[in-house]
């Protein structure tokens, strides 16, 4: 029977554990999230941020300390993992080495007491969806890493789950194969009409695959938004740093100018976009290296820099430069020479202004 649903709801989900000193540490703090059928959700953040804990709580592999999980009008956090009916793809694939590909894919159905003829029919259909027809009789050891990953995905989807859970499934693959598998996973997801919840620390994976990204830090959700929103308009400085805004420059707020603000950094004036309420004159500008461009002197938001280090990148160069307000990175089209003085500029929309971090 196909398991369909309209909404998976996480309500104030909390998970804590006792550390070596016997102190209770929160790995997940009050996670609230609604996931619709057909959505592809990426849980994104650095190691230890709580994303895998969230996935394991949804799967039932870790109990909740507080909160509830609902699948439509059915509360499921009180159910054991096998009764939740979710499919899960692990980082290490977890295939049975002595079983054929077809047997691996059909194992979950066999454990559910599905008739043998139905198992083979559905397993072959799942292998067709992941484009592994012709490999049914092979053992996992005879397959490439990407093929093994496809078998793991087929095994997860063959039970026709309402939700497919994926925990860093591409981390063991090389770069070329990871890029290929991103598109493949997205294609498979599109053919299922199911929700996929995908854990990753890789920003490119999340941006290229997800409908919505959930950025996490120390067990707390920092932003839930579309890939474009997270990339272009990080909600706070943590999200900005994680999404590649390597240049964070202290500045002083001069005045508001409509939807923009004027700030100064060591005498250099910028007009930037405030991303949160600025509670004092002390602020920071966050600039992604890729958003800086070579410009003429006198251009809006322009400043002169000394090129300290050049890393040639083909169409562009990664520069480490000294500006009047400090060191920064810039990825700029063209070729440059160490010791050169050039003028760089940043648009108002891409100079993001945040509150200054308070030292803990």
């Amino acid at each position: 029977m196909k398991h369909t649903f309209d909404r998976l709801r996480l309500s104030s989900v909390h998970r804590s554990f006792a550390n070596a000193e016997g102190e209770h540490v929160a790995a997940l703090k009050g996670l609230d999230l609604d996931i619709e059928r057909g959505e592809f959700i990426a849980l994104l953040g650095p190691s230890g941020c709580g994303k895998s804990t969230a996935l394991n709580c949804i799967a039932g592999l870790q109990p909740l300390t507080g909160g509830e999980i609902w699948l439509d009008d059915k509360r499921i956090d009180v159910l054991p993992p096998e009764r939740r009916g979710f499919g899960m793809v692990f980082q290490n694939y977890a295939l049975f080495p002595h079983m054929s590909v077809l047997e691996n894919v059909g194992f979950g159905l066999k454990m559910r007491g599905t008739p043998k003829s139905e198992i083979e029919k559905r397993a072959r259909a799942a292998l067709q969806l992941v484009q592994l027809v012709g490999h049914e009789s092979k053992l996992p050891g005879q397959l490439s890493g990407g093929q093994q990953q496809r078998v793991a995905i087929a095994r997860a989807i063959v039970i026709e789950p309402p939700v497919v859970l994926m925990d860093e499934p591409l981390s063991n693959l090389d770069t070329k194969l990871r890029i290929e598998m991103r598109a493949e996973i997205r294609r498979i997801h599109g053919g299922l009409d199911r929700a996929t919840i995908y854990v990753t620390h890789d920003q490119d994976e999340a941006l290229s695959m997800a409908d919505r990204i959930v950025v996490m830090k120390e067990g707390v959700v920092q932003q839930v938004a579309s890939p474009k929103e997270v990339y272009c308009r990080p909600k706070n400085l943590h999200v900005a740093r994680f999404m590649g805004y390597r240049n964070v420059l202290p500045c002083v707020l001069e005045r508001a100018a409509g939807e923009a603000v004027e700030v100064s950094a060591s005498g250099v004036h910028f007009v930037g976009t405030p991303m949160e309420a600025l509670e004092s004159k002390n602020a920071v500008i966050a600039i992604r290296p890729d958003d800086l461009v070579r410009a003429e002197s006198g251009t809006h938001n322009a400043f002169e820099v000394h090129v300290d280090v050049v890393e040639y990148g083909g169409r562009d160069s990664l520069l480490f430069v000294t500006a009047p307000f400090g060191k920064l990175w810039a990825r700029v089209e063209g070729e440059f020479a160490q010791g050169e003085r050039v003028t760089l500029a940043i648009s108002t929309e891409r100079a993001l202004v945040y509150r200054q971090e308070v030292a803990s």
Side-chain angles (χ1 to χ4, degrees):
M1 184 184 73
K2 292 185 179 182
H3 301 281
T4 59
F5 80 110
D6 290 317
R7 178 177 296 171
L8 176 69
R9 171 168 291 178
L10 282 64
S11 178
S12 301
V13 170
H14 185 86
R15 166 69 178 160
S16 61
F17 61 93
N19 62 16
E21 289 73 36
E23 303 169 327
H24 282 276
V25 178
L28 204 57
K29 306 174 186 176
L31 173 58
D32 291 292
L33 185 64
D34 283 4
I35 300 169
E36 306 293 332
R37 184 173 68 190
E39 273 200 292
F40 195 116
I41 300 293
L43 304 181
L44 176 66
S47 297
C49 73
K51 57 189 186 295
S52 289
T53 298
L55 198 76
N56 288 330
C57 286
I58 295 169
L61 301 178
Q62 292 184 15
L64 305 189
T65 308
E68 301 172 350
I69 303 176
W70 292 78
L71 196 62
D72 288 336
D73 58 356
K74 183 178 182 180
R75 184 175 176 183
I76 64 169
D77 60 276
V78 294
L79 301 178
E82 63 273 14
R83 291 189 57 198
R84 301 188 189 191
F86 295 160
M88 190 152 186
V89 181
F90 298 94
Q91 183 175 337
N92 61 358
Y93 317 144
L95 301 178
F96 297 110
H98 62 288
M99 290 185 183
S100 70
V101 166
L102 193 66
E103 290 169 334
N104 265 284
V105 174
F107 183 78
L109 294 173
K110 183 179 179 181
M111 292 297 99
R112 287 165 170 77
T114 306
K116 187 175 181 180
S117 60
E118 181 73 8
I119 292 175
E120 182 167 349
K121 177 183 174 183
R122 287 169 60 176
R124 288 185 182 278
L127 287 172
Q128 185 172 8
L129 186 62
V130 300
Q131 298 181 349
L132 277 179
V133 174
H135 298 273
E136 294 87 348
S137 301
K138 292 181 179 179
L139 296 174
Q142 297 174 288
L143 303 177
S144 67
Q147 289 172 328
Q148 290 182 42
Q149 186 58 274
R150 290 169 190 251
V151 175
I153 294 170
R155 185 181 57 188
I157 64 177
V158 75
I159 61 172
E160 298 177 329
V163 182
V164 178
L165 308 174
M166 298 190 176
D167 191 2
E168 303 264 13
L170 306 184
S171 59
N172 291 331
L173 304 180
D174 62 44
T175 302
K176 180 178 180 293
L177 197 51
R178 280 204 306 271
I179 294 172
E180 292 174 358
M181 282 302 299
R182 285 182 207 165
E184 191 63 15
I185 289 173
R186 185 70 206 193
R187 181 191 65 80
I188 294 167
H189 166 83
L192 291 175
D193 191 32
R194 299 289 189 270
T196 298
I197 305 175
Y198 186 101
V199 164
T200 182
H201 65 274
D202 188 308
Q203 298 93 324
D204 290 339
E205 277 186 20
L207 290 169
S208 65
M209 299 170 71
D211 297 312
R212 286 191 295 157
I213 297 175
V214 181
V215 185
M216 301 182 67
K217 176 189 178 185
E218 297 175 355
V220 178
V221 171
Q222 303 294 307
Q223 185 171 8
V224 182
S226 68
K228 183 177 180 180
E229 184 80 5
V230 171
Y231 183 86
C232 296
R233 300 183 63 82
K235 186 177 180 181
N236 58 41
L237 193 54
H238 167 75
V239 179
R241 287 184 188 275
F242 193 75
M243 296 308 298
Y245 289 76
R246 296 178 69 179
N247 304 309
V248 178
L249 317 169
C251 63
V252 176
L253 178 63
E254 299 289 351
R255 72 183 186 93
E259 295 184 358
V261 291
E262 292 184 12
V263 298
S264 63
S266 299
V268 178
H269 289 268
F270 293 94
V271 179
T273 300
M275 299 306 299
E276 57 188 350
L278 302 174
E279 298 170 346
S280 75
K281 285 189 171 295
N282 296 321
V284 295
I285 310 173
I287 297 174
R288 192 191 302 274
D290 311 64
D291 291 332
L292 288 161
V293 297
R294 194 167 194 165
E296 298 294 329
S297 181
T299 303
H300 174 72
N301 277 3
F303 51 93
E304 190 178 73
V305 301
H306 177 273
V307 178
D308 300 324
V309 178
V310 180
E311 293 183 11
Y312 176 69
R315 294 180 60 185
D316 57 26
S317 298
L318 179 62
L319 312 178
F320 188 56
V321 303
T322 300
F325 40 78
K327 306 282 188 179
L328 72 157
W329 293 94
R331 185 176 292 280
V332 186
E333 189 173 336
E335 296 185 25
F336 298 83
Q338 185 175 350
E340 185 179 358
R341 298 197 69 86
V342 299
T343 299
L344 301 178
I346 182 74
S347 70
T348 296
E349 294 75 21
R350 306 306 301 138
L352 307 185
V353 182
Y354 297 92
R355 292 192 295 264
Q356 192 172 69
E357 292 177 310
V358 178
S360 56

